[in-house]
Amino acid sequence: MEKHMAVCPYCGAGCKMNLVVENGKVIDAEGLPGITNEGELCLKGLYGYDFVNDTKILTPRIYHPMIRRTKGAPLERVTWDEALDFTAERLRAIIEESGPEAVMLTGSSRGAGNEANFVMQKFTRACLGTNNIDNCARTCHAASVIGLMECVGSGAMSVSIPTLEETDCILLFGYNPAASHPIVARRIVKAKERGAELIVCDPRIIESARIADLYLPLKNGSNLALLNAFAYTIIDEELADFDFIDDHTTGFDEWWEVVQDYAPEDVEEVTGLSSEVIRQAARCYATAETAIIGWGMGVTQQAQGVQTVRAIAALALITGHIGRPNSGLAPVRGQNNVQGSCDMGMWPSLYPGYQRVDDPAARAKFAAAWGVPQERLSLAPGWKLTDLPHGVAEGKIRAFYNFGEDPLQTEPDTAQVRAALEGLDLLISQDIFMTQTTALADVVLPATSWAEHDAVYTASDRSFQLTTAALPPKGECRHDWEIFADLSTRMGYPMKYQNTREIWDEVRSLCPQFAGATYEKMAGTGYAQWPIFADAADDPANNGTPELYAGGAFTTPDGKGHLMAAHWQPPTERPDNAYPLVLCTVREVGHYSCRSMTGNCKALAALADEPGYVSMSLADADARGIEEEQLVWVTSRRGKVLARAAVDERVNDGAVYMTYQWWIGKCNELTLHVVDGESGTPEDKYSACEVELIPDQRWAEDYLVERYTELKAQLAAEADRQNPPAPEPEPVDAPAPEDVSTEDAASAPIPLAFAPHEAEVAGRALYADGEEETLV
């Protein structure tokens, strides 16, 4: 039995663990005393390891490269040389015909590591000659990156995760840590235990609301109006730190021109909150000695996401709750290395280390380091990930290199995404599992999993930590960075690295704020928190910067905090008689991202499986004759999916909530592809929908199992192309009830009948109400 140190591959909390290996398999995980988790692990950390062993619960791993020699032909197993030569030839032809801007790439935040992402963006820029590189932050915290860079200079958390325990006031806005980051939720519980005040703003009675000093159940889609009302109150009641405003900010007069229209008394109808509770919450935050604002997708996945982030930053700036110990801004990142993907330049307007691609000095620096002419590196920002559908439709994007993501599962309006992927001349997918996106690919490249490579990850609070390989690569799988380097060499730009440490040293040499983050400093349970400059490399006591902007020194070009405000606008798609409910996407505590990893873990798959739940209020369920656990149709203007009803007294009337992990209950078949105009982040938190009971529940259960079994068999066959192609599955012949046409049934998503929502129950942080114990 062996133990190998790792960083958890799921959320951005950056928990340290040991992987226990026996006879070539990972058999257990145990917490280590890392800086963020202090030996604790949540549900996914404890039980989310055995996907590495290829359990085939959901879909099998990919062990060899495959190609389609012509569009629409079956996948064919080939050698690595054949696969990479084919890929290089096809990419070269597209670039010769349409230029490098016709190629789009996306990085991976799901366990691949900083080094792999660095090499991919280097391949994109130095070899292909384009900035068309993005990552999944586009669909989550891109609004935070853009809004905070403008207002304070950096899009990252300005505080550390441990700081949450030490502050006097925590304001959670559109963020459910019990489901998203259970280890962070523990910190919040401990802060409460030591006397911190907790303010929670969320339409649902989330777990944090149960222990909140103030709970504000605002209406869906009213974020910006409420934040402007907070700001109005702070100025109106003279609770602001006017010395800090005068000394460290700009733009107050223009900001106040907007905010002065948002007296709490004037936004009661928009927010659904009384003016007094709004004022009370603003007073609590403003008068606290120290305070932190934490937010998540409830803020960013809105059409006004960037404007809302600016409003949050303004609250910290006008109160002076930033740039001092235990106070600041906490956009807590959702995926294991989404902060790291951004750090490494997987962003269409930024090189590694947040150096702008339109800055001639930055271009000259990277061109010299990479040995290419300056004109090879484009000064024009590239495509965003959410630009892909219309870019393909307009003929501007012809090839897409998908690295470790599954946009057919995670992007809004699945039908639109499917049409885009099918409309490409070349789709390359590099992954460890045969996902729905990979099954459409023209080139399939098998990579190593999180437990099979060394890498540096960046936690949500800017902490670099090292993970080490517990197992050698399986089958013909190769490290991601090796694949990119080999392909680049075949396309005329040679790249060769011996190991990840060599890549990381190149990163440090090009990014001054990462320069002190050596492998030695990150050994064991060590860490390095950026900015950490070169002089820290040989100082064992210097682990970097736990809190940004000390003394009000912001990293904006003028060194000031920028106050920026906007007027609230209603969401894009409003409920009506046909679609009277608001659909909001949320997290599933026991699963992660597209579920390719957690869906192949025995314990997590047993706790929650298809078709997923649609959570709705008692009143809305009663009005539709729906009872707990019944199968229902959820419809929108874009599609129709099957889901299981969760009738929940904590859900607000007029809204329903679905998680995005499921194949059959795929809520992204329903969501609207409208994006924030500045960040490109989709408005996943507000679409119009309806929920209807399926009268024949026996038919629905049978149909669910048939469809789910069929889809798993299809993906398994695609992953195993060394064998003859599997026969086409027989059509589903379960009789449809009278009110559901056969056409509807055939076009509905894909099914199963499994456990109730035990995973949510098991993973909820049951915040102490007297005797209840916190479970994560």
Side-chain angles (χ1 to χ4, degrees):
M1 185 181 296
E2 304 170 355
K3 293 184 179 182
H4 299 266
M5 181 195 66
V7 178
C8 181
Y10 296 113
C11 82
C15 298
K16 273 280 189 173
M17 59 169 64
N18 266 334
L19 291 179
V20 182
V21 175
E22 188 172 66
N23 298 324
K25 290 188 175 182
V26 182
I27 63 169
D28 200 5
E30 56 186 29
L32 287 174
I35 183 63
T36 58
N37 67 310
E38 298 179 324
E40 297 174 336
L41 294 175
C42 77
L43 187 68
K44 291 191 287 290
L46 287 169
Y47 302 111
Y49 56 82
D50 52 328
F51 72 87
V52 176
N53 302 330
D54 196 11
T55 62
K56 297 182 174 63
I57 295 170
L58 187 65
T59 182
R61 286 193 61 177
I62 308 165
Y63 289 130
H64 47 262
M66 293 177 276
I67 63 171
R68 300 183 199 275
R69 295 194 183 273
T70 58
K71 202 72 178 175
L75 283 171
E76 174 186 338
R77 180 178 177 176
V78 294
T79 65
W80 271 106
D81 284 340
E82 289 176 292
L84 293 177
D85 285 344
F86 177 86
T87 305
E89 180 183 343
R90 295 290 303 277
L91 283 173
R92 193 180 296 113
I94 289 170
I95 291 171
E96 287 174 357
E97 292 173 10
S98 303
E101 302 309 315
V103 182
M104 173 77 201
L105 304 90
T106 183
S108 177
S109 302
R110 298 195 296 124
N114 283 336
E115 295 87 345
N117 282 285
F118 176 83
V119 176
M120 188 189 202
Q121 66 81 37
K122 182 176 177 180
F123 164 69
T124 303
R125 293 180 163 116
C127 180
L128 301 183
T130 179
N131 288 314
N132 290 346
I133 184 76
D134 208 353
N135 79 95
C136 69
R138 185 64 55 193
T139 56
C140 54
H141 268 294
S144 298
V145 173
I146 292 171
L148 292 182
M149 286 186 74
E150 292 173 328
C151 292
V152 294
S154 171
M157 286 178 64
S158 74
V159 295
S160 300
I161 288 173
T163 306
L164 287 163
E165 274 188 51
E166 306 302 324
T167 192
D168 297 312
C169 178
I170 299 172
L171 169 56
L172 299 182
F173 206 109
Y175 173 45
N176 183 8
S180 301
H181 305 87
I183 294 299
V184 175
R186 275 191 180 273
R187 297 278 188 181
I188 294 169
V189 171
K190 291 177 181 178
K192 274 290 297 178
E193 289 172 346
R194 53 165 291 277
E197 292 182 289
L198 176 63
I199 308 165
V200 173
C201 303
D202 199 287
R204 297 178 300 161
I205 305 173
I206 59 174
E207 290 301 315
S208 304
R210 295 177 55 198
I211 60 168
D213 297 278
L214 284 169
Y215 167 53
L216 282 69
L218 72 163
K219 287 183 180 179
N220 299 73
S222 67
N223 291 349
L224 187 54
L226 178 56
L227 287 162
N228 282 347
F230 282 170
Y232 177 97
T233 301
I234 291 167
I235 300 299
D236 180 56
E237 299 188 8
E238 299 184 353
L239 304 174
D241 186 337
F242 290 102
D243 288 338
F244 189 91
I245 293 171
D246 291 341
D247 293 342
H248 300 292
T249 74
T250 63
F252 179 85
D253 290 341
E254 295 84 355
W255 172 82
W256 179 244
E257 277 293 316
V258 174
V259 171
Q260 65 183 348
D261 293 339
Y262 289 85
E265 293 74 15
D266 295 333
V267 299
E268 288 183 327
E269 184 175 349
V270 170
T271 64
L273 301 169
S274 72
S275 58
E276 181 50 39
V277 76
I278 295 173
R279 287 183 177 272
Q280 189 178 358
R283 291 178 200 130
C284 183
Y285 171 75
T287 59
E289 186 68 25
T290 59
I292 292 173
I293 308 177
W295 70 93
M297 303 300 94
V299 164
T300 59
Q301 289 180 335
Q302 307 272 359
Q304 289 189 284
V306 172
Q307 294 168 341
T308 306
V309 170
R310 292 181 186 133
I312 290 173
L315 290 184
L317 290 170
I318 64 173
T319 56
H321 283 324
I322 189 167
R324 38 195 293 233
N326 304 326
S327 288
L329 300 167
V332 190
R333 299 304 186 90
Q335 295 203 43
N336 146 281
N337 200 45
V338 67
Q339 181 65 54
S341 295
C342 295
D343 293 347
M344 294 302 107
M346 304 300 265
W347 197 260
S349 60
L350 298 170
Y351 288 119
Y354 303 95
Q355 299 167 83
R356 296 190 62 85
V357 300
D358 58 5
D359 178 359
R363 178 173 78 160
K365 169 184 172 178
F366 280 92
W370 292 341
V372 295
Q374 289 190 39
E375 55 270 21
R376 170 63 66 85
L377 301 183
S378 173
L379 287 168
W383 292 97
K384 303 179 183 71
L385 180 57
T386 45
D387 291 331
L388 182 68
H390 69 256
V392 174
E394 295 168 8
K396 296 177 180 177
I397 299 176
R398 295 180 56 195
F400 178 49
Y401 197 144
N402 174 63
F403 169 32
E405 299 293 340
D406 187 7
L408 263 183
Q409 189 68 39
T410 58
E411 298 301 306
D413 195 349
T414 300
Q416 184 187 56
V417 175
R418 187 181 296 111
L421 296 179
E422 291 174 346
L424 290 161
D425 293 321
L426 178 66
L427 173 59
I428 306 160
S429 195
Q430 186 166 311
D431 212 322
I432 59 176
F433 286 105
M434 181 59 70
T435 65
Q436 294 168 76
T437 298
T438 303
L440 293 179
D442 303 294
V443 178
V444 176
L445 304 175
T448 50
S449 78
W450 143 82
E452 296 156 0
H453 52 237
D454 298 341
V456 173
Y457 298 128
T458 319
S460 187
D461 66 356
R462 299 170 284 108
S463 296
F464 292 129
Q465 296 182 98
L466 187 62
T467 195
T468 57
L471 296 167
K474 297 183 185 300
E476 297 176 35
C477 296
R478 297 181 66 186
H479 299 313
D480 294 295
W481 57 267
E482 289 181 325
I483 299 170
F484 300 134
D486 196 344
L487 178 59
S488 182
T489 300
R490 290 166 194 262
M491 293 190 68
Y493 178 70
M495 273 199 280
K496 188 169 182 61
Y497 296 100
Q498 299 300 315
N499 49 48
T500 54
R501 182 170 186 156
E502 185 178 338
I503 301 167
W504 186 246
D505 285 343
E506 182 177 335
V507 173
R508 294 194 304 115
S509 72
L510 288 167
C511 304
Q513 72 270 48
F514 305 160
T518 62
Y519 263 40
E520 288 80 8
K521 195 173 288 291
M522 293 182 284
T525 56
Y527 70 99
Q529 194 166 15
W530 69 258
I532 178 166
F533 298 103
D535 58 359
D538 298 322
D539 181 358
N542 188 344
N543 290 100
T545 310
E547 293 172 312
L548 299 178
Y549 321 124
F554 296 101
T555 52
T556 52
D558 61 3
K560 300 280 189 177
H562 294 189
L563 291 168
M564 305 173 73
H567 288 288
W568 172 81
Q569 296 176 0
T572 306
E573 185 178 65
R574 309 306 300 279
D576 58 17
N577 289 335
Y579 301 100
L581 299 170
V582 173
L583 168 64
C584 179
T585 64
V586 292
R587 297 271 182 183
E588 168 70 49
V589 70
H591 282 292
Y592 166 79
S593 190
C594 65
R595 196 166 52 108
S596 62
M597 290 157 54
T598 54
N600 281 294
C601 296
K602 297 182 183 68
L604 300 179
L607 281 171
D609 211 322
E610 298 282 357
Y613 284 85
V614 54
S615 297
M616 58 196 310
S617 73
L618 279 68
D620 288 330
D622 286 345
R624 292 160 177 78
I626 295 170
E627 297 180 1
E628 179 80 3
E629 296 295 321
Q630 288 185 315
L631 290 171
V632 297
W633 292 117
V634 188
T635 58
S636 77
R637 292 179 177 88
R638 289 151 295 282
K640 180 174 185 175
V641 304
L642 197 69
R644 199 175 292 281
V647 183
D648 192 341
E649 62 185 6
R650 303 185 305 167
V651 170
N652 53 310
D653 294 344
V656 298
Y657 298 83
M658 299 179 72
T659 59
Y660 62 89
Q661 280 82 18
W662 311 111
W663 293 352
I664 294 128
K666 186 191 293 188
C667 61
N668 277 327
E669 296 276 2
L670 312 173
T671 48
L672 179 69
H673 190 123
V674 168
V675 300
D676 177 296
E678 297 180 79
S679 68
T681 301
E683 193 177 22
D684 285 344
K685 299 308 183 200
Y686 205 107
S687 302
C689 76
E690 177 60 298
V691 182
E692 302 170 88
L693 177 68
I694 300 175
D696 189 339
Q697 289 286 298
R698 177 58 184 271
W699 172 85
E701 296 285 1
D702 291 344
Y703 172 68
L704 178 63
V705 173
E706 291 268 8
R707 290 296 301 275
Y708 190 39
T709 302
E710 175 186 333
L711 185 59
K712 288 201 290 187
Q714 290 171 351
L715 294 186
E718 292 288 356
D720 196 23
R721 282 295 178 178
Q722 71 267 36
N723 296 323
E728 289 296 316
E730 293 296 321
V732 177
D733 57 3
E738 292 181 5
D739 70 321
V740 180
S741 70
T742 304
E743 181 180 356
D744 281 344
S747 63
I750 310 114
L752 168 190
F754 267 55
H757 36 300
E758 293 103 328
E760 182 185 358
V761 175
R764 285 176 184 162
L766 295 177
Y767 294 124
D769 247 320
E771 302 175 359
E772 289 183 305
E773 181 182 359
T774 302
L775 301 176
V776 290

